Amino acid sequence: MDIISTAKAHGGVQGVYRHRSRTTDCDMTFAVFVPEHEAGEKLPVLWYLSGLTCTHQNAMDKGEYRRAAAEHGLIVVLPDTSPRGDHVPDEPDNWQFGSGAGFYVDATQEPYAENYRMYSYVTEELPAYLAVNFPADTSRMGLCGHSMGGHGALSIALKNPDLYRSASAFAPIVRPTVAGWSKPALEKYLGRDPRTHRAYDTCLLIEDGKRFAEFYVDQGTADQFLEDGLRPQLLRDACEKAGIPLTLNMREGYDHSYNFISTFMEDHVAYAAARLKA
């Protein structure tokens, strides 16, 4: 593991690291905040999954999670959003696909299947790597994410209810199989058969019988993508039909930016901490 940088913050350490991933067949960069703790102590983990065009850097610089994570004693991990490198296939002029837009899926279509395996990277390889290299208790993990990362957090939780104890999201894409900014990407990664897309659609996973204990979602009413791509009412309807408790906060006047996320980030950290430390 290469240590790119470390800095003290709120008594803990904010680090940025790089390692060679066997899952994505490229070097992957990720950020980890480890709060102050006793020697030998293992801490619960909150995963923050970023959205389209982002890296670990966006939330690390603008997410304002460290004070709350230090207060609650949580490790916060910020993976990248996709594989990167000269050998990784990409569409540089398309911000909705490829580098920066991995959608937390395991691609099955060439030429993307070899590298775009972000679902397995986030759920299998990186947690195992974290447990070896950091004081992380990977039996106590929660998920949080924004936009595409919100889709990742909710869909991953539904498919792995035994791995995660909490799941929350900021402005998640709840029906990526039909949203205009995500459906084309799923077709390139997974093929044109819509049946192969269902495993990465929160509402369809619920329709197909997947369950999670509860969800917590914040959504800005001034979000420019609210009606076209996000449509939180579809998640509300799916959860009501399935009996999944959902807290859906419609935040008046907030948009899709990190001004919105940073305002409510401490609520999401506290929500996760209450479930990871119970």
Side-chain angles (χ1 to χ4, degrees):
M1 181 173 66
D2 296 327
I3 301 174
I4 297 175
S5 67
T6 59
K8 188 170 184 177
H10 296 279
V13 176
Q14 175 66 68
V16 179
Y17 309 91
R18 180 173 53 237
H19 74 126
R20 183 73 182 182
S21 168
R22 65 180 183 277
T23 304
T24 63
D25 190 31
C26 67
D27 290 341
M28 296 293 291
T29 301
F30 61 97
V32 181
F33 174 71
V34 179
E36 189 174 16
H37 60 285
E38 299 293 332
E41 183 181 6
K42 295 289 187 178
L43 304 176
V45 180
L46 177 60
W47 295 83
Y48 179 84
L49 307 182
S50 294
L52 285 165
T53 75
C54 292
T55 69
H56 67 282
Q57 194 81 38
N58 300 75
M60 191 177 77
D61 290 349
K62 298 181 287 188
E64 299 184 19
Y65 56 85
R66 281 175 286 267
R67 190 201 65 79
E71 176 184 339
H72 292 288
L74 298 187
I75 290 175
V76 178
V77 184
L78 298 86
D80 201 349
T81 53
S82 70
R84 300 177 192 270
D86 293 340
H87 71 291
V88 176
D90 187 19
E91 293 184 5
D93 297 327
N94 183 1
W95 66 273
Q96 297 176 338
F97 182 76
S99 182
F103 280 93
Y104 304 100
V105 306
D106 280 354
T108 59
Q109 303 300 299
E110 298 300 337
Y112 309 108
E114 182 177 352
N115 304 107
Y116 286 86
R117 303 185 64 235
M118 290 301 296
Y119 173 80
S120 290
Y121 176 71
V122 167
T123 62
E124 297 175 10
E125 183 178 6
L126 195 52
Y129 195 78
L130 192 77
V132 172
N133 292 281
F134 296 89
D137 180 357
T138 53
S139 70
R140 294 184 292 160
M141 298 195 299
L143 292 158
C144 180
H146 170 231
S147 194
M148 176 188 73
H151 133 72
L154 300 183
S155 61
I156 288 172
L158 283 165
K159 290 187 285 188
N160 301 277
D162 295 332
L163 288 181
Y164 304 97
R165 298 189 187 184
S166 75
S168 68
F170 296 95
I173 308 172
V174 303
R175 284 294 313 273
T177 58
V178 295
W181 59 345
S182 51
K183 182 180 178 181
L186 293 182
E187 290 179 348
K188 292 177 184 178
Y189 288 136
L190 304 172
R192 300 188 67 86
D193 185 346
R195 292 174 295 180
T196 66
H197 303 177
R198 297 183 72 91
Y200 299 103
D201 184 302
T202 296
C203 291
L204 293 183
L205 284 166
I206 293 172
E207 183 179 300
D208 290 344
K210 299 296 185 182
R211 297 292 181 266
F212 197 71
E214 57 182 330
F215 291 132
Y216 183 91
V217 173
D218 276 323
Q219 173 64 64
T221 63
D223 191 316
Q224 63 268 41
F225 304 112
L226 181 60
E227 298 302 328
D228 177 47
L230 305 177
R231 295 187 288 177
Q233 68 275 11
L234 298 180
L235 176 63
R236 180 195 60 208
D237 294 344
C239 286
E240 285 182 357
K241 185 175 181 180
I244 299 174
L246 168 67
T247 299
L248 175 58
N249 301 309
M250 298 301 296
R251 304 295 190 179
E252 186 65 32
Y254 284 92
D255 60 16
H256 201 70
S257 73
Y258 268 88
N259 296 309
F260 160 58
I261 296 167
S262 63
T263 301
F264 301 105
M265 179 66 86
E266 291 192 0
D267 295 342
H268 286 249
V269 174
Y271 175 85
R275 286 146 186 82
L276 299 182
K277 301 177 74 174

